[in-house]
Amino acid sequence: DRDFDQARTSSVSSGAGLSVPASNPYSPCNPSKSLVGNPGLNCAVNLNVLYAFANDLGLQRYVGTTKNDGVTAALTVDLWSDWVLSASAGRGKNADSIRESNIANQTAVSIALGNVVNGVARPAEVPFFNPFCGTSGACNDQTTLNYIRGSVSDEIRFTKNQYRLQADGSVFEISGGDVRVAVGAE
């Protein structure tokens, strides 16, 4: 049996970054913003912004248990001459329960940025997510952070049954010694 509880650095946006539409009031492409000081900024498409969620969401939690059980039984029987029959059977079970929490739900983040995902738009009571606040981590509303905070749970179970049967012994003798044979299945 093993229990674990790990704190990990919070997730970072995917390699493509967060897709921030001009409708996001924090975007430098928002019509209410002045583009002065942003030469070459392409506001014809959504801005892609790499973002680390550590300051907003804190450390990720990775908590769970692993339980492993197993038993094996074996039997050996002398047959005739030097022939031996051996048999064994075993059964093992594994059960894992894992919960990863305090992670950014990328779909919810995209919606909170102002994108419509699969027909779902940002709820009116959820303030826009601001990916332009730097490292302060204090610029996003708690309602927004609760909206984007996600978790993943996994339950993993497997059972392994193993059977083995083998017979071995001498079949005849030559000048160098006995010729032996072993046959079996597992």
Side-chain angles (χ1 to χ4, degrees):
D1 291 345
R2 181 174 73 113
D3 295 324
F4 53 92
D5 184 349
Q6 299 174 341
R8 297 179 174 180
T9 302
S10 290
S11 60
V12 176
S13 59
S14 67
L18 303 177
S19 180
V20 183
S23 61
N24 184 303
Y26 304 106
S27 171
C29 291
N30 187 285
S32 68
K33 303 284 185 191
S34 169
L35 295 180
V36 175
N38 293 305
L41 191 61
N42 183 3
C43 290
V45 296
N46 287 358
L47 294 179
N48 288 320
V49 177
L50 291 178
Y51 192 81
F53 294 93
N55 291 323
D56 294 299
L57 301 178
L59 295 175
Q60 289 180 359
R61 302 299 300 180
Y62 189 68
V63 179
T65 61
T66 297
K67 297 185 184 301
N68 296 298
D69 298 307
V71 63
T72 301
L75 173 68
T76 302
V77 177
D78 291 331
L79 298 174
W80 61 86
S81 182
D82 65 347
W83 276 82
V84 175
L85 176 69
S86 57
S88 64
R91 180 176 176 94
K93 294 190 317 183
N94 185 77
D96 294 335
S97 178
I98 303 165
R99 179 169 171 82
E100 190 171 2
S101 60
N102 217 25
I103 59 178
N105 177 324
Q106 295 298 323
T107 300
V109 171
S110 185
I111 292 168
L113 284 166
N115 295 298
V116 175
V117 179
N118 296 325
V120 177
R122 183 183 56 80
E125 68 275 6
V126 175
F128 279 93
F129 182 76
N130 180 0
F132 301 102
C133 61
T135 59
S136 70
C139 65
N140 282 297
D141 189 276
Q142 190 61 48
T143 303
T144 305
L145 298 179
N146 291 341
Y147 181 76
I148 69 169
R149 191 180 316 273
S151 65
V152 177
S153 294
D154 290 317
E155 297 290 330
I156 304 164
R157 306 278 184 264
F158 68 85
T159 301
K160 176 183 176 186
N161 296 310
Q162 183 175 354
Y163 308 98
R164 182 175 182 272
L165 182 65
Q166 178 180 318
D168 65 89
S170 300
V171 288
F172 57 88
E173 187 177 328
I174 59 173
S175 64
D178 290 339
V179 174
R180 299 182 59 84
V181 171
V183 293
E186 184 169 0

